[in-house]
Amino acid sequence: MEGVAWVAVDWGTSNLRVWGLDRAGAIRAEASSAKGMARLDRDGFEPALLALIGDWLPAGRPTPVLACGMVGARQGWVEVPYRQVPCTPVALDQVGRPPTRDPRLQVMIVGGLSQAEPADVMRGEETQIAGLLLDRPGFDGVLCLPGTHTKWARVQGGEIVAFHSVMTGELFALLAQQSVLRHSLDGDGWDDAEFARAVTETVAAPAGFIGRLFSVRAEALLAGLTAAGARARLSGLLIGAELAATQAYWKDEAELTLVGNGAQAAHYAEALRALGRSPAMADGALVTLAGLRAAWRQLTKDLA
């Protein structure tokens, strides 16, 4: 595609999103697929990328591709070392460069962050945080980044000082698709009241969470709980359990921002409002692209 000087890539566990940008950083093309890291083996990354951007790449020269996320994990295209917090969100002293068969590709992968105690890691969210801090350089508070593995990050003085990962998104997918509860979730829709009730009850009494899960199935059989209600209740139970476990991050923090898009981020916002918090919202795609643009400017400056 004419005008694409480089490609920005956000490659998560579940999804792949790409943007073709010109030399000024303006978007000339964008695309996405469900070919996240979890669906690929090491040989599958290049074909998955080319399926989206192959038509953008001119012949005769390599096009730089700058990627963040799970593409740099141990199970990804190539493993990129972590930097340990506290630290700035993104630095380019460690950049992964996977080998490619197509000579039109020059792929570079931004590394993630680690935490020694309690042990934790992130890949991709650090780039979102870097993008958010470009617009809010004085941010001092907590960010919630919903996803397959939701991250809660404490930011002070331009650095990520601590973070906590919760597998809520993956647990929902497993229970909804592979457990007995799947028989009660076969349908569409959403029940706001059921969701809010499940959140508040679970935060108030988290010890009963594991026992409440089967009630989703039992009430569908005995009391006519609809698929919309069952889906909302399961989500509310899981997000409620997460919020009960992460109160140190969100309960008394003055600045609280949710970074995300779509239904999942909306459910987190709804859950927090049910508990008396009104988080600010940041568009996850916009801050990811902003973080990748900033990394690209730094990378090209270092290479000059």
Side-chain angles (χ1 to χ4, degrees):
M1 176 173 289
E2 186 177 352
V4 172
W6 66 285
V7 179
V9 178
D10 177 22
W11 212 324
T13 301
S14 304
N15 297 291
L16 164 62
R17 185 165 186 175
V18 296
W19 298 267
L21 299 108
D22 62 20
R23 295 187 185 280
I27 299 172
R28 302 300 299 268
E30 58 183 302
S32 63
S33 79
K35 290 293 183 71
M37 182 272 293
R39 296 191 176 191
L40 300 170
D41 59 21
R42 185 147 286 179
D43 291 334
F45 284 87
E46 184 172 342
L49 180 61
L50 286 170
L52 295 183
I53 72 169
D55 292 341
W56 306 353
L57 307 176
R61 66 170 176 85
T63 296
V65 176
L66 184 60
C68 69
M70 294 302 292
V71 65
R74 185 166 298 174
Q75 296 79 24
W77 198 345
V78 65
E79 185 175 9
V80 186
Y82 296 106
R83 293 184 304 121
Q84 187 164 315
V85 298
C87 61
T88 57
V90 172
L92 299 174
D93 51 341
Q94 296 278 5
V95 175
R97 299 177 184 271
T100 57
R101 294 181 293 275
D102 192 313
R104 299 175 300 163
L105 289 173
Q106 182 185 34
V107 180
M108 296 161 284
I109 302 174
V110 177
L113 304 182
S114 67
Q115 178 175 270
E117 184 61 40
D120 212 332
V121 294
M122 71 164 66
R123 289 194 186 272
E125 294 87 1
E126 76 293 323
T127 305
Q128 291 185 307
I129 296 171
L132 182 139
L133 292 180
L134 289 174
D135 286 334
R136 301 173 64 182
F139 182 87
D140 189 339
V142 165
L143 301 172
C144 174
L145 302 99
T148 304
H149 302 149
T150 295
K151 308 291 183 184
W152 293 83
R154 192 176 301 280
V155 177
Q156 295 174 353
E159 293 188 332
I160 299 171
V161 297
F163 64 96
H164 184 59
S165 303
V166 191
M167 294 174 61
T168 304
E170 185 169 4
L171 288 171
F172 181 88
L174 289 169
L175 289 168
Q177 297 168 17
Q178 298 184 38
S179 80
V180 69
L181 301 185
R182 71 187 187 277
H183 301 298
S184 301
L185 274 64
D186 187 14
D188 298 320
W190 186 261
D191 187 323
D192 288 330
E194 194 68 55
F195 175 79
R197 182 162 51 250
V199 168
T200 54
E201 288 178 355
T202 304
V203 172
F209 158 74
I210 197 70
R212 293 190 188 99
L213 284 174
F214 192 74
S215 72
V216 175
R217 180 60 177 158
E219 288 201 28
L221 292 170
L222 302 176
L225 181 66
T226 65
R231 182 172 297 277
R233 180 183 295 183
L234 176 59
S235 180
L237 288 170
L238 290 167
I239 292 177
E242 174 181 332
L243 293 175
T246 58
Q247 291 188 63
Y249 276 85
W250 60 265
K251 189 171 184 180
D252 299 316
E253 196 65 42
E255 284 200 84
L256 175 62
T257 295
L258 269 169
V259 180
N261 303 89
Q264 187 181 29
H267 295 333
Y268 272 79
E270 183 183 351
L272 286 162
R273 285 194 292 268
L275 298 170
R277 295 303 312 263
S278 296
M281 303 294 291
D283 186 292
L286 289 180
V287 297
T288 300
L289 185 53
L292 284 165
R293 280 193 181 111
W296 171 252
R297 288 193 295 269
Q298 183 60 53
L299 186 62
T300 53
K301 179 180 176 182
D302 291 345
L303 294 174

